[in-house]
Amino acid sequence: MVAKSKGQLAKLALLLLAVLLVVAAILLCVFLIPRHHRKPPLPPGSPPGNASNPDDSIVAFDFSPYLIMYKSGRVHRLDGLARCSAGVDEATGVTSKDVVIDSGTGLAARMYLPPAAKGKGKKGPDTSRLPVLVFYHGGAFVIESAFTPLYHAYLNAVSAKVRAVAVSVEYRLAPEHRLPTAYNDSWQALNWVARNAASGPEPWLRDRGNLSRLFVAGDSAGGNIAHNMAMRAGTEGGLDGGAAITGLLLLDPYFWGKEPVAGETTDAATRREYEATWSFICGGRYGIDDPLVNPLSLPAAEMRRLESKRVAVTSSGLDDFRPRALAYAAALNGSGWGGEIEQYETPGERHVYFLDRPKDPNSVKELAFVTGFLSRE
C-alpha cells in the first residue's frame, strides 16, 4: 500500500513539473518575443503625385477640409467624393434618373419623380401636374455633387414629401472650373428645365411638371447660386418660354463681405480666410464685396428685381454665415421688393447640420419647414 502511494505521488510530481514547464514556456513567449500592437490610423495623405515634377508636391492652396491644390495644378479633394446610382428609393418610393443637359461641357442633373398618389392605383396612373424644384448642392463651390449619397437622400426625402419633380444640378466645380462657370451652368440648367416643362422632350417635366409652381433652392454655396439665378432671371427678363420663379429657398446661404454685419465675426484671421477662399473659387475675378457673394452691396432698386413671389431663408445658430443671412432677409424686405419673405432658424446648430443628421429632431423640423414652404400654393 505504501509503495503504491509513493508511485502515485511520483506521477503527480511529474505532472506538476510538466505543467510548470508549459507555464514557463508561455511566459517566455510573452516576455521575450516582441509584441505587435495595432498602430493608430493615420490621417489621409495626398495621393501620389508625379515624382518627375517637383511642383506636384508643393501646396499652392490649402482649402482644408475640402481640398488641397498643388503648384502643378493637381487637386486632391478631401471630401464629397462618394457617388451613388439613381433608381427607386426603397424608403420613399421616389424614382430617380440621370440626364445630360449639355454633352459638350458635361453639364448634367439627377431628376426625382415621386410615386403615384395614394388612391390612384386602381384608377390608372397619376397624371396630375406636380411642382418643379430646381436644386443646387452646396460644398463651397469645390466639392460635393448631385450624385453624392448626402444630396441623393435629401432630394428623395424632399421630392416624396412635397410630391414634386426635382432636378438636382451637377454644375462644374472650382478650381478646375472657376466662377462664373458654376453660375453659367446653373443658369443653363434652369432654362433647360423651363423649356422642357413647357414643351419637352424630357417627359418627367413635359408631362408631369407644373411651370406655374417653379421653385429654385440650394444649400450653402447652392443657396448662393439659387439667389443669383433669381437675380439673373429678374434682370434678364425671366426664363426661357416666359417661365417665372414661384419660390426661392435659401438654406444656410453662403454670403460674405468685407465689413462685418451685426453679429458676424470680427476676427481678422477668419475674415481674411473667407476672403482668400472666395478669391480662390473665382480665380480673383470678383472681390469679396461683389454682389455675387455679398448681395448686401446691391442698391435697393437692384435688389427689388429679384424674381420670385416668395423667399425663404434658413439659418443655423452656430453658423458663421448666419448674421449675413439674417441681414439679407432684412435688406430684401426693406428694399421695396413686393414678395413674401419667411425666415427659419435652428439655435445651437452648425452649418447645414440637417444634411449630416437627417433623423435628428431639429433636422426633421427643418425639413418640415422646407416641405411646407414648397407645398404651399
Side-chain angles (χ1 to χ4, degrees):
M1 178 68 77
V2 173
K4 187 175 181 180
S5 298
K6 288 182 178 179
Q8 289 176 339
L9 288 173
K11 289 180 180 180
L12 184 61
L14 288 172
L15 180 61
L16 181 61
L17 179 61
V19 170
L20 289 174
L21 289 172
V22 170
V23 171
I26 293 173
L27 290 175
L28 281 172
C29 290
V30 170
F31 289 104
L32 297 180
I33 298 176
R35 283 176 281 179
H36 299 280
H37 298 282
R38 177 182 293 179
K39 294 181 180 180
L42 297 174
S46 62
N50 184 355
S52 64
N53 184 356
D55 290 344
D56 210 33
S57 59
I58 300 173
V59 174
F61 193 84
D62 189 339
F63 197 178
S64 298
Y66 306 117
L67 61 74
I68 297 172
M69 184 173 180
Y70 294 88
K71 191 175 179 181
S72 65
R74 180 168 64 96
V75 175
H76 174 37
R77 285 185 167 80
L78 306 172
D79 198 7
L81 297 172
R83 298 291 185 271
C84 63
S85 300
V88 179
D89 181 55
E90 292 184 2
T92 62
V94 171
T95 301
S96 58
K97 67 178 180 180
D98 297 333
V99 296
V100 176
I101 296 173
D102 187 335
S103 59
T105 63
L107 175 60
R110 177 160 291 180
M111 298 184 64
Y112 297 82
L113 183 69
K118 292 181 180 179
K120 296 288 183 180
K122 295 180 181 180
K123 300 177 183 179
D126 179 9
T127 57
S128 59
R129 295 280 181 167
L130 304 175
V132 176
L133 170 65
V134 178
F135 187 88
Y136 302 108
H137 70 81
F141 295 97
V142 297
I143 63 167
E144 293 295 349
S145 163
F147 309 136
T148 55
L150 193 72
Y151 286 100
H152 183 67
Y154 187 72
L155 268 297
N156 273 316
V158 171
S159 177
K161 290 183 178 295
V162 178
R163 289 198 47 74
V165 181
V167 182
S168 184
V169 180
E170 178 72 350
Y171 57 86
R172 287 172 289 173
L173 301 176
E176 295 90 343
H177 306 281
R178 312 271 188 171
L179 294 181
T181 299
Y183 293 130
N184 292 337
D185 282 354
S186 298
W187 179 248
Q188 184 180 353
L190 180 57
N191 280 287
W192 177 87
V193 169
R195 288 194 307 273
N196 276 275
S199 59
E202 168 47 53
W204 285 10
L205 291 169
R206 180 193 63 216
D207 301 335
R208 306 301 304 279
N210 181 359
L211 260 187
S212 68
R213 298 183 65 198
L214 173 62
F215 294 89
V216 176
D219 73 290
S220 191
N224 173 298
I225 292 174
H227 156 78
N228 281 294
M229 295 304 99
M231 288 301 307
R232 189 164 175 176
T235 57
E236 296 192 12
L239 305 174
D240 287 357
I245 298 172
T246 303
L248 177 65
L249 176 61
L250 311 182
L251 306 172
D252 292 7
Y254 169 23
F255 297 139
W256 202 250
K258 188 72 174 179
E259 298 300 324
V261 299
E264 206 169 62
T265 181
T266 57
D267 179 70
T270 300
R271 301 198 71 84
R272 282 196 302 269
E273 182 178 356
Y274 277 125
E275 189 167 352
T277 53
W278 169 254
S279 181
F280 173 75
I281 292 163
C282 67
R285 290 185 179 93
Y286 312 109
I288 198 62
D289 276 330
D290 190 283
L292 289 171
V293 67
N294 184 16
L296 301 183
S297 66
L298 284 168
E302 290 295 314
M303 188 167 278
R304 286 198 294 269
R305 301 180 73 174
L306 181 138
E307 183 184 297
S308 184
K309 297 176 182 178
R310 294 190 288 125
V311 173
V313 182
T314 75
S315 55
S316 300
L318 303 179
D319 186 4
D320 282 352
F321 299 136
R322 170 188 174 270
R324 200 162 293 258
L326 301 180
Y328 167 86
L332 180 60
N333 194 44
S335 70
W337 172 75
E340 174 190 348
I341 189 161
E342 299 179 53
Q343 292 177 254
Y344 181 89
E345 179 159 344
T346 311
E349 291 287 5
R350 299 192 178 277
H351 189 61
V352 295
Y353 69 94
F354 48 87
L355 291 174
D356 297 317
R357 309 192 320 271
K359 294 185 179 179
D360 279 10
N362 281 343
S363 301
V364 173
K365 292 176 183 177
E366 167 115 4
L367 182 61
F369 171 79
V370 166
T371 55
F373 176 81
L374 298 173
S375 298
R376 264 200 357 253
E377 296 287 349

